[in-house]
Amino acid sequence: MTVKAIEVTNLTKSFKNGRGISDLNLDVDQGDIFGFLGPNGAGKTTAMKMITGLMKPDHGDVNIFGASISEDYVNAMKHVGCLIETAESYPYLTANDNLKLFSRFYPEVDQRRIDECLAITGMLKYKNEKSQKFSLGMKQRLGIAAAILSKPRLLILDEPLNGLDVEGMLEMRKLIKQLSQEGTTFFISSHLIHDVELTCTRIGIIYGGKLVNVEYTQNILSYYSSLENYFVSEVDRNGRV
Ligand SMILES: Nc1ncnc2c1ncn2[C@@H]1O[C@H](COP(=O)(O)OP(=O)(O)OP(=O)(O)O)[C@@H](O)[C@H]1O
């Protein structure tokens, strides 16, 4: 049996205001483009921060390719690239120099690979421009370029379409599919139902801090006319909170 890309067990985080994540259990198989779909405030970023070790859960654990985030962080994150919340870069450095700085964590990443990542994300033509002049979409692409530098087996992306225009969204979707065909597994959070429907092979719906259901996109679309109809029906079935 192949090891799961991500295994989340009983993940719980309760903020002082009573909101957070409650007893989240989910698996992401290798090869999935897993869409973590939920409205604003559903708990996507909180879950993703715990999955990538940026936030400590109250309970539960996460295994990535079999290694525990809480007990074996370095091994768990060894094959992971991530982009959580907004893509940060050094504004006074060029796109190229930002990636060079980032690549110091990865001895195998050379200038050729940096150029390759800039090309893959459509940023090669802005290679020598400082990131302070970049639009949100360009910063997002630079963030993805940084996340794929080390050729990670798993990419964890929090709202990767944030700030992208229609053309940017099409390109990002194409990029995700291309990397997926080359063997990368994805865990992507989004509140954009239409985009998740077009991009993801499996979908987990999160609502009010709880995972409502997980299903293959193909199965959803064989029973429902759109992901939106499925989403509304699942949320209703599980009781709006
Ligand atoms: N540090 C915190 N302290 C208190 N409450 C928080 C904290 N971080 C998040 N929350 C609350 O937890 C809930 C989940 O927030 P989270 O940012 O995970 O949602 P999200 O699904 O990523 O939403 P969005 O799409 O708007 O980014 C929200 O109600 C939010 O107000």
Side-chain angles (χ1 to χ4, degrees), residues 13-224:
K13 178 88 188 174
S14 184
F15 296 116
K16 284 198 180 113
N17 55 20
R19 298 197 286 259
I21 292 288
S22 157
D23 203 25
L24 180 69
N25 289 283
L26 69 84
D27 290 345
V28 175
D29 290 322
Q30 294 192 43
D32 278 348
I33 304 179
F34 191 102
F36 198 39
L37 175 68
N40 291 135
K44 303 180 294 295
T45 302
T46 304
M48 288 192 126
K49 281 185 176 167
M50 291 192 283
I51 289 170
T52 51
L54 297 172
M55 187 186 278
K56 200 171 176 310
D58 297 338
H59 306 287
D61 198 9
V62 178
N63 278 26
I64 300 190
F65 296 118
S68 155
I69 275 284
S70 60
E71 285 163 22
D72 193 6
Y73 185 74
V74 172
N75 272 323
M77 293 302 285
K78 203 152 105 188
H79 303 290
V80 181
C82 49
L83 188 60
I84 305 288
E85 292 191 314
T86 46
E88 298 295 342
S89 58
Y90 290 94
Y92 299 110
L93 294 183
T94 62
N96 190 62
D97 287 346
N98 263 292
L99 294 187
K100 261 172 129 168
L101 195 67
F102 200 73
S103 73
R104 71 192 188 281
F105 298 116
Y106 309 106
E108 73 283 7
V109 173
D110 54 12
Q111 185 61 50
R112 218 173 111 185
R113 176 64 186 158
I114 290 177
D115 285 344
E116 200 173 77
C117 293
L118 286 167
I120 289 171
T121 52
M123 289 297 289
L124 198 55
K125 51 185 175 289
Y126 309 113
K127 175 178 174 177
N128 295 313
E129 290 186 24
K130 290 182 180 165
S131 71
Q132 63 179 338
K133 300 266 166 65
F134 290 171
S135 68
L136 196 57
M138 290 158 84
K139 286 181 185 157
Q140 201 73 347
R141 284 183 225 187
L142 185 59
I144 305 266
I148 62 173
L149 271 182
S150 65
K151 300 189 179 168
R153 291 165 64 193
L154 168 66
L155 269 176
I156 299 181
L157 308 175
D158 187 17
E159 303 272 4
L161 300 178
N162 256 358
L164 297 185
D165 55 20
V166 175
E167 207 179 328
M169 282 192 190
L170 288 170
E171 279 172 18
M172 187 62 72
R173 206 178 292 143
K174 213 165 94 187
L175 173 61
I176 290 169
K177 289 197 168 156
Q178 179 195 324
L179 291 171
S180 163
Q181 275 160 13
E182 290 167 12
T184 310
T185 301
F186 283 87
F187 184 66
I188 303 172
S189 85
S190 180
H191 62 274
L192 303 171
I193 291 190
H194 179 63
D195 194 71
V196 168
E197 179 176 328
L198 291 176
T199 313
C200 300
T201 54
R202 244 173 113 216
I203 297 167
I205 291 182
I206 178 164
Y207 195 83
K210 291 196 175 93
L211 188 73
V212 170
N213 210 351
V214 178
E215 188 50 271
Y216 287 97
T217 313
Q218 225 178 356
N219 293 348
I220 295 171
L221 296 178
S222 64
Y223 288 108
Y224 294 84

